[in-house]
Amino acid sequence: MKNYPVIGIRPIVDSRRFGIRDSLEEKVREMAEAAKSLMEENIRYIDGSPVKVIIFSGSIAGGEEAAQCEALFSSQNVVATLSVTPSWCYPLETIDLNPLTIKAIWGFNGTERPGAVYLASALAAHNQMKLPCFSIYGRDVQDMDEKQIPGDVQEKILRFAKCALAVGQMKNKAYIGFGSVSMGIMGSYLDPSFYIHYLGMRPEWVDMTEILRRVEQDVFDKEEYKKALIWVKNYCKEGKDPNPEHSAHTREQKDKEWEFVIKMTLIIRDIMLGNKKLDEMGFEEEALGRNGLFGGFQGQRMWTDYKPNGDFTEAVLNSTFDWNGKKQPTIFATENDNLNGLAMMFGNLLTGKASGFSDVRCYWSPKAVERVTGWKPEGMAKEGFIHLINSGSTCIDATGKSKDQDGNSVMKSWWEMEDKDIQECLGATDWCPAELCQFRGGGYSSHFKTDAEMPLTMVRVNIVDGKGPVIQIAEGFSIVLPEEVHNKIDNRTDPTWPTTWFVPRISGSGAFRDVYTVMANWGANHGAFIHGHVGADIITMASMLRIPVVMHNVLEENIFRPHVWSSFGTKDMEVADSEA
């Protein structure tokens, strides 16, 4: 990452000297340093490096010092500010007035000097001036000499900072759309107004013929290609060919397809991110890349009727490893569904983990499961489950074969991946030749099942005429079915694709009345899934982007939005979010 977004901390004090400001300087500096350490120890950028946090060198007691702070922060790419204070101060003279920064205030909950009173007054000023601000206020009263940040305050500081940095990392980057709309899927339509006005990103279009040009003219790193080819031969075992023997591709054709999809992977990565090696080869323009943060590939049908599909490319780019070992995922959407790619990107920005891409294929009721398999669902499957399956973008991490220190199945942040995790994920995956009725040009799809019970969060971004962008969130779990049950159900769709069985957490009301209702209210044919229960983080980040969350099952006490949101209603928080 060339230009890191930064968190700026603004220490604020009462301006009155001769006993008041003098007594507060040390305390406010302690608060600022403690918040800085907390963020630096717990938050990373998506490239794995620790977050950059700066503290204004003085204290802010009035407009002159606020201006000095703003001058410093504007030169340091500060995208979000955390103001901290242990006392009453003068709100309108000290708050952050920059309309482009994301703002929070931590007001110390103490009785010696009323930081909470400043917090309330400053928030009222923010709300009146249309400058949304997050309120960070501890539940329990502290003594002025306490140095420990309370747990509930820590949680809010980290959620604010993590989400603000996710927003900051999107700014001035690009979505790279290879091709156009796939098979009439509206999520494939790249809406420039949405990307520019909501995300601060640049939409980029690349015709799929650019891939062919670079293949034919050898515009890729040939040494890395050789390395990748050896890795594929050693670790990417072929799965069952679903095609009848008389129509299946020959061994020679299949080998050519492997060579092609490896080159395609290198080329798409180069187009998105750039590659200095190409400059050395005389391709100066191509070496720059297109400043891509994430992208997607149309594929079907014009491409896949003619050339190998993008499934291998999509799966490898999205995973936390390739032939070079562990790596930062390059988020890449199948069928150019950029709205689902965006949901995947949200997950990656917030966790550093790979995200899954799937069709939200169907809801399996207990009755239907028993009719088809003879097995009566039990445990987490007893109320039915949703079949997540797709030929392309699901990351190999979704096998669930990585383990944490306690032996639990997880999907890890990419910088935590170990060689044994990579080998286990690869060992649980085979690569099936494409079913030629669907993909005439051939290719290979990753094939595995999510063989673990893991917490997952399913996310989708949709655009609705007259309303704009909206987000849906469903926290739940992947489940493991008995092997014979899995096979009977999975084979009814496409046995060469990766499958995840998902059960959302049910509340008994609204869109989460039961599993069926979640499926019935899902807004599109695709959904992204992220390891862990990160719905609260996504809600916070969505509020920073001004995108309402219209469906979620996040616990109310975990919802953290700007203070002004409560002025739009407190009884129905989804409605209030849309109004705000």
Side-chain angles (χ1 to χ4, degrees):
M1 186 175 294
K2 299 172 184 175
N3 190 21
Y4 290 97
V6 176
I7 300 287
I9 299 180
R10 308 172 72 253
I12 298 178
V13 295
D14 191 317
S15 63
R16 292 171 288 185
R17 303 226 179 226
F18 305 109
I20 297 180
R21 177 168 181 167
D22 320 62
S23 67
L24 295 171
E25 295 279 13
E26 182 179 352
K27 177 61 181 179
V28 77
R29 183 60 48 177
E30 286 177 358
M31 290 176 66
E33 292 289 352
K36 180 175 185 287
S37 296
L38 177 68
M39 289 186 272
E40 290 175 338
E41 292 167 7
N42 290 280
I43 301 175
R44 297 193 189 203
Y45 298 106
I46 51 172
D47 69 359
S49 56
V51 61
K52 296 181 183 297
V53 183
I54 60 172
I55 304 174
F56 177 56
S57 58
S59 297
I60 301 169
E64 171 58 30
E65 290 154 319
Q68 292 174 14
C69 179
E70 172 57 29
L72 170 66
F73 286 2
S74 64
S75 69
Q76 299 296 315
N77 195 29
V78 168
V79 298
T81 61
L82 173 65
S83 298
V84 300
T85 186
S87 70
W88 166 256
C89 313
Y90 303 160
L92 201 55
E93 299 173 15
T94 57
I95 61 175
D96 174 11
L97 294 178
N98 183 341
L100 300 181
T101 54
I102 304 167
K103 308 173 207 330
I105 299 174
W106 171 25
F108 185 82
N109 186 5
T111 54
E112 292 91 334
R113 292 286 176 185
V117 176
Y118 170 79
L119 175 63
S121 182
L123 291 170
H126 275 284
N127 298 349
Q128 193 167 342
M129 294 186 296
K130 203 176 181 180
L131 293 172
C133 183
F134 288 83
S135 172
I136 300 176
Y137 175 52
R139 178 176 291 272
D140 300 315
V141 171
Q142 291 183 271
D143 298 327
M144 187 65 85
D145 59 359
E146 287 187 47
K147 294 179 170 54
Q148 181 67 33
I149 303 176
D152 60 330
V153 173
Q154 289 187 34
E155 183 178 344
K156 288 183 177 179
I157 289 174
L158 290 176
R159 180 159 291 147
F160 168 78
K162 184 195 306 181
C163 295
L165 288 174
V167 172
Q169 289 174 89
M170 286 188 271
K171 300 297 184 186
N172 296 314
K173 301 294 286 185
Y175 175 87
I176 314 300
F178 290 82
S180 183
V181 174
S182 174
M183 303 182 295
I185 297 171
M186 199 59 197
S188 301
Y189 173 69
L190 186 54
D191 185 339
S193 179
F194 167 61
Y195 274 87
I196 293 167
H197 294 131
Y198 281 87
L199 307 178
M201 294 184 66
R202 185 187 306 274
E204 292 261 0
W205 291 264
V206 176
D207 195 281
M208 292 185 291
T209 56
E210 175 64 3
I211 299 169
L212 297 178
R213 180 184 77 85
R214 294 196 187 200
V215 169
E216 292 175 6
Q217 296 181 2
D218 290 339
V219 187
F220 56 88
D221 184 339
K222 298 180 185 62
E223 291 303 313
E224 186 170 10
Y225 164 70
K226 293 176 183 176
K227 181 179 181 180
L229 183 61
I230 293 171
W231 180 82
V232 165
K233 289 180 177 178
N234 288 337
Y235 298 109
C236 296
K237 59 182 181 288
E238 279 191 28
K240 181 180 178 181
D241 190 333
N243 302 289
E245 189 174 345
H246 69 274
S247 62
H249 284 179
T250 65
R251 183 70 260 164
E252 183 180 7
Q253 286 175 303
K254 290 177 179 178
D255 290 343
K256 291 292 184 185
E257 288 164 25
W258 272 122
E259 294 171 3
F260 186 92
V261 297
I262 293 169
K263 293 175 184 177
M264 181 177 171
T265 305
L266 295 173
I267 288 166
I268 285 179
R269 188 190 64 186
D270 290 349
I271 292 172
M272 291 184 63
L273 307 178
N275 187 344
K276 292 180 181 179
K277 182 73 173 182
L278 301 183
D279 200 358
E280 299 171 12
M281 297 165 58
F283 299 103
E284 185 175 358
E285 178 184 357
E286 290 86 345
L288 284 173
R290 290 179 175 265
N291 195 34
L293 182 66
F294 67 116
F297 181 63
Q298 174 194 333
Q300 299 182 74
R301 283 210 18 235
M302 294 76 174
W303 178 275
T304 55
D305 282 359
Y306 171 53
K307 289 293 182 181
N309 63 33
D311 289 6
F312 173 83
T313 296
E314 293 161 2
V316 170
L317 289 177
N318 279 310
S319 297
T320 57
F321 55 88
D322 62 11
W323 43 88
N324 292 315
K326 65 182 179 182
K327 68 168 181 70
Q328 178 184 334
T330 301
I331 302 301
F332 203 65
T334 196
E335 294 162 359
N336 211 13
D337 186 348
N338 61 96
L339 296 181
N340 210 54
L342 180 59
M344 296 166 70
M345 191 72 243
F346 287 165
N348 179 240
L349 287 165
L350 291 168
T351 67
K353 300 175 183 179
S355 301
F357 181 117
S358 292
D359 279 355
V360 185
R361 185 57 65 102
C362 70
Y363 162 68
W364 276 94
S365 68
K367 182 179 179 180
V369 173
E370 190 170 9
R371 178 182 63 82
V372 169
T373 69
W375 177 69
K376 185 176 182 178
E378 57 189 29
M380 282 198 288
K382 67 180 180 181
E383 294 186 33
F385 45 84
I386 295 172
H387 192 181
L388 304 180
I389 183 171
N390 191 273
S391 65
S393 287
T394 298
C395 54
I396 308 171
D397 303 66
T399 56
K401 293 299 183 180
S402 296
K403 303 291 184 181
D404 65 14
Q405 59 186 7
D406 298 319
N408 300 311
S409 296
V410 295
M411 292 168 63
K412 293 183 176 181
S413 300
W414 73 264
W415 53 81
E416 296 176 330
M417 289 293 284
E418 302 176 9
D419 287 344
K420 61 181 179 181
D421 297 316
I422 296 172
Q423 294 306 316
E424 288 292 331
C425 290
L426 286 169
T429 306
D430 55 29
W431 300 85
C432 296
E435 201 276 313
L436 297 174
C437 288
Q438 297 184 78
F439 301 121
R440 300 177 199 170
Y444 292 90
S445 296
S446 61
H447 170 242
F448 59 82
K449 64 177 178 179
T450 300
D451 194 24
E453 291 184 357
M454 299 187 296
L456 298 179
T457 303
M458 195 162 72
V459 184
R460 173 70 195 186
V461 180
N462 295 300
I463 295 179
V464 180
D465 183 49
K467 189 175 182 69
V470 297
I471 293 177
Q472 296 176 301
I473 299 168
E475 293 185 339
F477 294 87
S478 62
I479 62 170
V480 180
L481 299 181
E483 188 69 19
E484 65 277 9
V485 174
H486 166 85
N487 290 335
K488 283 184 179 180
I489 298 178
D490 203 41
N491 288 341
R492 291 169 68 97
T493 302
D494 192 312
T496 69
W497 293 351
T499 276
T500 301
W501 306 109
F502 176 71
V503 176
R505 190 175 63 241
I506 299 307
S507 66
S509 64
F512 292 89
R513 183 171 63 250
D514 52 28
V515 179
Y516 166 81
T517 311
V518 175
M519 174 78 185
N521 280 279
W522 203 247
N525 56 311
H526 291 151
F529 63 85
I530 304 148
H531 179 262
H533 288 160
V534 297
D537 289 337
I538 292 173
I539 288 174
T540 296
M541 182 180 62
S543 69
M544 295 174 176
L545 295 169
R546 309 300 189 270
I547 301 176
V549 178
V550 295
M551 170 181 163
H552 72 83
N553 59 348
V554 176
L555 298 177
E556 185 174 320
E557 57 266 29
N558 294 332
I559 296 175
F560 188 40
R561 291 174 171 138
H563 179 266
V564 72
W565 261 233
S566 62
S567 296
F568 294 90
T570 57
K571 187 174 182 180
D572 190 328
M573 298 180 77
E574 288 181 9
V575 172
D577 192 27
S578 292
E579 288 292 315

